[in-house]
Amino acid sequence: MEKLYPNPKEMIDIIHKLNFHIMISIWAGLGPNTPVYKDMQKRGYLYSPTGWAGFKYYDAYNPAANDLYWQYLSKGLFSKGIVDGGWTQPNPISSMH
């Protein structure tokens, strides 16, 4: 992300000055090349079905897995003031095989 957006806070400040806000849609499908996927996999928090792009869903009903998921979101987005709001998408069964 640093290569594409070397100063995300500055970018968001410019958007806010233009009277816009940033809201993201968050899907619980985790890509196999991401730190959160590897952490979840190591702890046994991922469901075994694999989605269309090799992603897996984490077990959001497991309190420890849910805490870990939100720690990654907070560290990567919310604590830096990068987004103004978010909407979490439920796990769509139709995208799993």
Side-chain angles (χ1 to χ4, degrees), residues 16-28:
H16 285 159
K17 287 177 186 174
L18 296 171
N19 203 29
F20 287 96
H21 299 277
I22 303 295
M23 182 174 170
I24 60 171
S25 174
I26 304 167
W27 292 68

Side-chain angles (χ1 to χ4, degrees), residues 19-82:
N19 203 29
F20 287 96
H21 299 277
I22 303 295
M23 182 174 170
I24 60 171
S25 174
I26 304 167
W27 292 68
L30 307 175
N33 295 323
T34 62
V36 64
Y37 178 102
K38 292 172 184 173
D39 204 354
M40 292 276 189
Q41 181 80 359
K42 176 179 69 177
R43 298 168 191 247
Y45 296 161
L46 297 177
Y47 288 122
S48 58
T50 302
W52 62 271
F55 64 83
K56 290 186 178 181
Y57 292 111
Y58 81 99
D59 180 4
Y61 295 104
N62 178 329
N66 214 23
D67 285 345
L68 184 61
Y69 178 76
W70 287 100
Q71 284 174 29
Y72 272 90
L73 283 176
S74 178
K75 180 182 172 190
L77 293 172
F78 299 121
S79 67
K80 297 177 182 176
I82 294 175

